Amino acid sequence: MIKLASAALAAAALLAPVGALGKEKVNLVLNWVPTADHAPYYYAKSQGWYDEANIDLTIETGKGSGVSAQRVGAGTSEIGISDLATSLLARGKGAKLVAVMAVYANSPQGFYWLKSSGIGGPKDFPGKKIGNPPGDASRIMWPAFAKQVGIDPGSVSFVNVSPQAKVPSLKSRAIDITSDFYNEHDLKVREFGDDLSFLAWRDIGINPYGNSIIVNADYLEKKRDVVKAFTQVSQKAFAACVQDVAPCLKALMASVSGLDEANQRDQWNRIKELMRDPTTASTALGAFDDQRVKNDFEMVKTYFGLEQPFEASTAYTNEFLDKSIKMAPK
Protein backbone atom coordinates (compact mmCIF):
# COMPACT_ATOMS: atom_id res chain seq x y z
CA MET A 1 0.00 0.00 0.00
CA ILE A 2 2.88 2.36 0.83
CA LYS A 3 4.46 1.74 -2.58
CA LEU A 4 1.13 2.35 -4.32
CA ALA A 5 0.60 5.59 -2.40
CA SER A 6 4.09 6.77 -3.24
CA ALA A 7 3.57 5.97 -6.89
CA ALA A 8 0.28 7.88 -6.89
CA LEU A 9 1.92 10.93 -5.33
CA ALA A 10 4.72 10.82 -7.86
CA ALA A 11 2.24 10.60 -10.72
CA ALA A 12 0.26 13.54 -9.33
CA ALA A 13 3.44 15.58 -9.09
CA LEU A 14 4.23 14.87 -12.74
CA LEU A 15 0.74 15.93 -13.79
CA ALA A 16 0.69 19.11 -11.65
CA PRO A 17 1.16 22.44 -13.43
CA VAL A 18 4.75 23.58 -13.49
CA GLY A 19 3.84 26.87 -11.83
CA ALA A 20 2.28 25.08 -8.84
CA LEU A 21 5.61 23.41 -8.10
CA GLY A 22 8.00 26.15 -9.18
CA LYS A 23 6.62 29.46 -7.92
CA GLU A 24 9.31 31.86 -6.80
CA LYS A 25 8.76 33.18 -3.29
CA VAL A 26 9.18 36.96 -3.34
CA ASN A 27 8.91 39.37 -0.42
CA LEU A 28 7.87 42.92 -1.31
CA VAL A 29 8.57 45.35 1.53
CA LEU A 30 6.58 48.56 1.22
CA ASN A 31 7.82 52.00 2.17
CA TRP A 32 4.94 52.56 4.62
CA VAL A 33 1.63 51.16 5.72
CA PRO A 34 -0.50 50.19 2.69
CA THR A 35 -2.58 52.95 1.15
CA ALA A 36 -3.83 53.86 -2.32
CA ASP A 37 -0.37 54.04 -3.87
CA HIS A 38 0.06 50.36 -3.03
CA ALA A 39 -3.36 49.32 -4.36
CA PRO A 40 -1.99 48.05 -7.71
CA TYR A 41 0.10 45.36 -5.99
CA TYR A 42 -2.91 44.13 -4.04
CA TYR A 43 -5.07 44.28 -7.15
CA ALA A 44 -2.59 42.26 -9.24
CA LYS A 45 -2.31 39.73 -6.45
CA SER A 46 -6.10 39.42 -6.10
CA GLN A 47 -6.39 38.88 -9.85
CA GLY A 48 -3.80 36.10 -9.75
CA TRP A 49 -1.41 37.96 -12.05
CA TYR A 50 1.66 37.31 -9.90
CA ASP A 51 0.65 33.65 -9.58
CA GLU A 52 0.34 33.41 -13.35
CA ALA A 53 3.88 34.76 -13.57
CA ASN A 54 5.01 32.00 -11.15
CA ILE A 55 5.54 34.48 -8.32
CA ASP A 56 4.38 33.66 -4.80
CA LEU A 57 4.21 37.22 -3.48
CA THR A 58 4.19 38.33 0.15
CA ILE A 59 3.53 42.02 0.79
CA GLU A 60 5.06 43.40 3.98
CA THR A 61 4.24 46.71 5.66
CA GLY A 62 7.20 49.09 5.71
CA LYS A 63 8.68 51.59 8.15
CA GLY A 64 10.07 54.21 5.79
CA SER A 65 12.02 54.40 2.55
CA GLY A 66 15.29 54.31 4.45
CA VAL A 67 14.35 51.00 6.07
CA SER A 68 13.05 49.40 2.88
CA ALA A 69 16.21 50.45 1.01
CA GLN A 70 18.32 48.86 3.75
CA ARG A 71 16.25 45.68 3.71
CA VAL A 72 16.49 45.26 -0.05
CA GLY A 73 20.13 46.31 -0.13
CA ALA A 74 20.98 43.66 2.46
CA GLY A 75 18.94 40.98 0.68
CA THR A 76 16.47 40.35 3.51
CA SER A 77 13.73 41.36 1.04
CA GLU A 78 14.09 40.69 -2.65
CA ILE A 79 12.04 43.69 -3.77
CA GLY A 80 10.90 46.89 -2.10
CA ILE A 81 9.47 50.38 -2.47
CA SER A 82 11.70 53.36 -1.71
CA ASP A 83 12.06 56.87 -3.03
CA LEU A 84 14.99 57.09 -5.44
CA ALA A 85 17.10 59.66 -3.60
CA THR A 86 17.00 57.55 -0.43
CA SER A 87 17.89 54.49 -2.49
CA LEU A 88 20.87 56.29 -4.04
CA LEU A 89 22.01 57.35 -0.58
CA ALA A 90 21.75 53.75 0.63
CA ARG A 91 23.63 52.57 -2.46
CA GLY A 92 26.41 54.99 -1.56
CA LYS A 93 26.65 53.28 1.82
CA GLY A 94 27.06 49.85 0.24
CA ALA A 95 23.45 48.70 -0.21
CA LYS A 96 23.14 46.37 -3.18
CA LEU A 97 20.05 47.61 -4.97
CA VAL A 98 18.82 48.64 -8.39
CA ALA A 99 15.67 50.63 -9.24
CA VAL A 100 13.58 48.99 -11.97
CA MET A 101 10.43 51.15 -12.12
CA ALA A 102 9.55 54.71 -11.15
CA VAL A 103 6.17 54.86 -9.41
CA TYR A 104 6.30 58.60 -8.71
CA ALA A 105 7.83 60.53 -11.59
CA ASN A 106 7.54 63.60 -9.35
CA SER A 107 8.50 64.05 -5.73
CA PRO A 108 5.53 63.65 -3.37
CA GLN A 109 7.35 65.37 -0.53
CA GLY A 110 5.89 68.43 1.12
CA PHE A 111 5.78 70.25 4.45
CA TYR A 112 2.55 71.22 6.23
CA TRP A 113 2.01 73.76 9.00
CA LEU A 114 -0.75 76.00 10.32
CA LYS A 115 -0.92 79.69 9.49
CA SER A 116 -2.11 80.34 13.04
CA SER A 117 1.27 79.10 14.30
CA GLY A 118 2.91 82.23 12.91
CA ILE A 119 5.00 80.32 10.37
CA GLY A 120 5.00 82.09 7.02
CA GLY A 121 7.39 79.80 5.16
CA PRO A 122 10.68 77.89 5.40
CA LYS A 123 12.58 80.95 6.66
CA ASP A 124 10.51 80.59 9.86
CA PHE A 125 11.33 76.89 10.34
CA PRO A 126 14.43 77.43 12.56
CA GLY A 127 13.62 76.71 16.19
CA LYS A 128 10.54 74.72 15.27
CA LYS A 129 9.66 71.03 15.75
CA ILE A 130 9.13 68.86 12.68
CA GLY A 131 7.21 65.65 13.32
CA ASN A 132 7.69 62.53 11.22
CA PRO A 133 8.90 58.93 11.62
CA PRO A 134 12.65 58.24 11.96
CA GLY A 135 12.80 56.49 8.56
CA ASP A 136 10.83 59.17 6.72
CA ALA A 137 12.46 60.09 3.41
CA SER A 138 11.98 63.80 4.04
CA ARG A 139 13.95 63.54 7.28
CA ILE A 140 16.77 61.77 5.46
CA MET A 141 16.75 64.36 2.67
CA TRP A 142 16.23 67.33 5.02
CA PRO A 143 19.78 68.77 4.53
CA ALA A 144 19.09 69.20 0.81
CA PHE A 145 15.85 71.05 1.52
CA ALA A 146 17.43 73.25 4.19
CA LYS A 147 20.29 74.31 1.94
CA GLN A 148 17.90 74.96 -0.94
CA VAL A 149 15.83 77.40 1.15
CA GLY A 150 18.85 78.92 2.89
CA ILE A 151 18.53 77.76 6.50
CA ASP A 152 20.84 75.82 8.79
CA PRO A 153 20.01 72.07 8.61
CA GLY A 154 20.62 71.85 12.37
CA SER A 155 18.25 74.68 13.24
CA VAL A 156 15.15 72.49 13.67
CA SER A 157 14.40 69.60 16.00
CA PHE A 158 12.79 66.38 14.80
CA VAL A 159 10.10 64.61 16.79
CA ASN A 160 9.32 60.94 16.19
CA VAL A 161 5.71 60.74 15.04
CA SER A 162 3.98 57.77 13.41
CA PRO A 163 2.28 58.30 10.03
CA GLN A 164 -1.15 58.03 11.68
CA ALA A 165 -0.25 60.64 14.33
CA LYS A 166 0.93 63.42 12.00
CA VAL A 167 -2.42 65.23 11.75
CA PRO A 168 -3.37 64.86 15.45
CA SER A 169 0.11 66.03 16.49
CA LEU A 170 -0.13 69.10 14.26
CA LYS A 171 -3.63 69.82 15.53
CA SER A 172 -2.60 69.56 19.20
CA ARG A 173 0.50 71.71 18.56
CA ALA A 174 2.74 68.90 19.79
CA ILE A 175 4.68 69.66 16.60
CA ASP A 176 4.90 72.81 14.49
CA ILE A 177 5.43 71.23 11.07
CA THR A 178 5.01 67.82 9.55
CA SER A 179 6.17 66.28 6.31
CA ASP A 180 3.89 64.11 4.26
CA PHE A 181 3.25 62.79 0.79
CA TYR A 182 1.02 64.81 -1.50
CA ASN A 183 -1.30 61.78 -1.56
CA GLU A 184 -2.76 62.83 1.78
CA HIS A 185 -3.29 66.47 0.81
CA ASP A 186 -7.10 66.39 0.64
CA LEU A 187 -7.38 64.86 4.11
CA LYS A 188 -5.45 67.78 5.61
CA VAL A 189 -7.44 70.35 3.65
CA ARG A 190 -10.65 68.91 5.12
CA GLU A 191 -9.16 68.86 8.62
CA PHE A 192 -7.61 72.34 8.74
CA GLY A 193 -9.31 74.34 6.00
CA ASP A 194 -7.95 77.83 5.38
CA ASP A 195 -5.52 77.54 8.30
CA LEU A 196 -3.42 75.02 6.38
CA SER A 197 -0.15 75.97 4.68
CA PHE A 198 1.67 73.65 2.32
CA LEU A 199 4.95 73.71 0.42
CA ALA A 200 5.75 71.05 -2.16
CA TRP A 201 9.45 70.32 -2.55
CA ARG A 202 9.06 70.21 -6.33
CA ASP A 203 7.83 73.82 -6.26
CA ILE A 204 11.17 75.06 -4.93
CA GLY A 205 13.30 73.12 -7.38
CA ILE A 206 13.77 69.85 -5.47
CA ASN A 207 12.05 67.23 -7.57
CA PRO A 208 13.86 63.90 -7.31
CA TYR A 209 12.07 60.77 -8.34
CA GLY A 210 9.76 59.56 -5.60
CA ASN A 211 8.70 56.01 -4.81
CA SER A 212 10.37 53.45 -7.04
CA ILE A 213 10.46 49.68 -7.20
CA ILE A 214 13.91 48.54 -6.10
CA VAL A 215 15.44 45.09 -6.33
CA ASN A 216 18.38 43.49 -4.56
CA ALA A 217 21.25 43.60 -7.09
CA ASP A 218 22.44 40.04 -6.43
CA TYR A 219 18.89 38.72 -6.74
CA LEU A 220 18.44 40.61 -10.00
CA GLU A 221 21.50 38.96 -11.52
CA LYS A 222 20.34 35.48 -10.49
CA LYS A 223 16.61 35.90 -11.19
CA ARG A 224 16.32 38.30 -14.12
CA ASP A 225 13.24 36.50 -15.44
CA VAL A 226 11.49 36.85 -12.07
CA VAL A 227 12.37 40.55 -11.84
CA LYS A 228 11.08 41.13 -15.36
CA ALA A 229 7.84 39.30 -14.60
CA PHE A 230 7.29 41.18 -11.33
CA THR A 231 8.03 44.55 -12.94
CA GLN A 232 5.71 44.02 -15.90
CA VAL A 233 2.86 42.63 -13.80
CA SER A 234 3.14 45.64 -11.48
CA GLN A 235 3.34 48.01 -14.43
CA LYS A 236 0.23 46.40 -15.93
CA ALA A 237 -1.56 46.76 -12.58
CA PHE A 238 -0.73 50.46 -12.27
CA ALA A 239 -2.02 51.05 -15.80
CA ALA A 240 -5.24 49.19 -14.97
CA CYS A 241 -5.74 51.24 -11.81
CA VAL A 242 -5.22 54.49 -13.74
CA GLN A 243 -8.05 53.42 -16.02
CA ASP A 244 -10.38 52.37 -13.18
CA VAL A 245 -9.29 52.54 -9.56
CA ALA A 246 -12.49 51.07 -8.06
CA PRO A 247 -11.48 47.37 -8.24
CA CYS A 248 -7.97 48.28 -7.10
CA LEU A 249 -9.24 50.02 -3.97
CA LYS A 250 -11.57 47.09 -3.35
CA ALA A 251 -8.60 44.71 -3.40
CA LEU A 252 -6.60 47.01 -1.11
CA MET A 253 -9.38 47.36 1.43
CA ALA A 254 -10.05 43.62 1.43
CA SER A 255 -6.49 43.11 2.66
CA VAL A 256 -5.94 46.19 4.82
CA SER A 257 -8.28 47.28 7.60
CA GLY A 258 -9.04 50.79 8.79
CA LEU A 259 -8.99 52.57 5.42
CA ASP A 260 -11.64 55.03 4.29
CA GLU A 261 -12.56 54.49 0.64
CA ALA A 262 -13.30 58.14 -0.12
CA ASN A 263 -9.95 59.21 1.32
CA GLN A 264 -8.15 56.51 -0.67
CA ARG A 265 -9.87 57.63 -3.87
CA ASP A 266 -8.74 61.22 -3.21
CA GLN A 267 -5.24 59.92 -2.66
CA TRP A 268 -5.25 58.04 -5.93
CA ASN A 269 -6.25 61.15 -7.87
CA ARG A 270 -3.19 62.92 -6.42
CA ILE A 271 -1.02 59.89 -7.14
CA LYS A 272 -1.91 60.02 -10.83
CA GLU A 273 -0.52 63.58 -10.91
CA LEU A 274 2.72 62.33 -9.38
CA MET A 275 3.01 59.41 -11.81
CA ARG A 276 2.80 61.54 -14.96
CA ASP A 277 5.70 63.22 -16.72
CA PRO A 278 6.90 63.32 -20.36
CA THR A 279 8.94 60.14 -19.97
CA THR A 280 6.19 58.01 -18.43
CA ALA A 281 3.78 59.25 -21.11
CA SER A 282 6.09 58.67 -24.09
CA THR A 283 8.66 55.99 -23.20
CA ALA A 284 6.79 53.75 -20.77
CA LEU A 285 4.79 53.95 -17.58
CA GLY A 286 7.42 53.70 -14.86
CA ALA A 287 10.38 54.68 -17.05
CA PHE A 288 13.28 56.72 -15.70
CA ASP A 289 14.78 59.65 -17.62
CA ASP A 290 18.57 59.34 -17.77
CA GLN A 291 19.30 63.03 -17.13
CA ARG A 292 16.88 63.28 -14.23
CA VAL A 293 18.49 60.28 -12.52
CA LYS A 294 21.90 61.89 -13.02
CA ASN A 295 20.55 65.08 -11.43
CA ASP A 296 19.23 63.10 -8.44
CA PHE A 297 22.57 61.35 -8.17
CA GLU A 298 24.48 64.64 -8.18
CA MET A 299 22.15 66.05 -5.51
CA VAL A 300 22.80 63.10 -3.22
CA LYS A 301 26.53 63.22 -3.95
CA THR A 302 26.71 66.98 -3.28
CA TYR A 303 24.69 67.10 -0.07
CA PHE A 304 25.54 63.76 1.50
CA GLY A 305 28.62 62.35 -0.20
CA LEU A 306 29.12 58.74 -1.20
CA GLU A 307 31.04 56.45 1.11
CA GLN A 308 31.32 53.96 -1.73
CA PRO A 309 31.35 55.79 -5.11
CA PHE A 310 29.37 54.34 -8.02
CA GLU A 311 28.07 55.40 -11.41
CA ALA A 312 24.49 56.69 -11.55
CA SER A 313 23.77 54.44 -14.55
CA THR A 314 24.31 51.32 -12.43
CA ALA A 315 21.60 52.26 -9.92
CA TYR A 316 18.58 51.95 -12.23
CA THR A 317 17.34 50.32 -15.42
CA ASN A 318 14.36 50.53 -17.78
CA GLU A 319 15.23 47.11 -19.18
CA PHE A 320 12.38 45.19 -17.59
CA LEU A 321 9.53 47.55 -18.49
CA ASP A 322 6.94 46.78 -21.15
CA LYS A 323 7.39 49.74 -23.52
CA SER A 324 3.86 49.28 -24.89
CA ILE A 325 2.38 50.34 -21.52
CA LYS A 326 2.39 54.11 -21.18
CA MET A 327 0.97 56.53 -18.65
CA ALA A 328 -2.44 57.72 -19.78
CA PRO A 329 -2.81 61.42 -20.67
CA LYS A 330 -4.76 63.67 -18.30
Side-chain angles (χ1 to χ4, degrees), residues 9 22 29 39 62 73 77 137 196 260:
L9 288 172
V29 58
S77 288
L196 184 70
D260 177 77

Side-chain angles (χ1 to χ4, degrees), residues 84-89 91-92 141 207-209 289-316:
L84 187 64
T86 301
S87 298
L88 293 172
L89 182 60
R91 177 78 181 254
M141 298 303 296
N207 191 28
Y209 279 104
D289 175 76
D290 295 343
Q291 188 57 53
R292 283 195 61 197
V293 175
K294 289 178 183 176
N295 293 343
D296 291 357
F297 175 80
E298 290 301 324
M299 179 186 70
V300 170
K301 183 178 178 181
T302 298
Y303 289 122
F304 302 99
L306 301 173
E307 295 176 16
Q308 298 183 26
F310 64 93
E311 295 295 326
S313 60
T314 65
Y316 75 101

Side-chain angles (χ1 to χ4, degrees), residues 24 26-28 41 45 50-51 55-59 230:
E24 179 77 12
V26 173
N27 177 265
L28 170 66
Y41 310 110
K45 187 173 181 179
Y50 292 115
D51 283 333
I55 295 173
D56 180 6
L57 182 67
T58 300
I59 302 176
F230 178 88

Side-chain angles (χ1 to χ4, degrees), residues 99-102 224 228 231-236 239 278-290 316-328:
V100 297
M101 177 178 161
R224 299 182 71 83
K228 181 177 181 179
T231 303
Q232 294 194 358
V233 166
S234 302
Q235 186 189 15
K236 173 184 172 183
T279 304
T280 61
S282 62
T283 301
L285 187 155
F288 294 98
D289 175 76
D290 295 343
Y316 75 101
T317 180
N318 289 329
E319 175 185 354
F320 302 108
L321 295 170
D322 182 343
K323 302 302 192 298
S324 71
I325 300 176
K326 303 185 190 304
M327 182 62 192

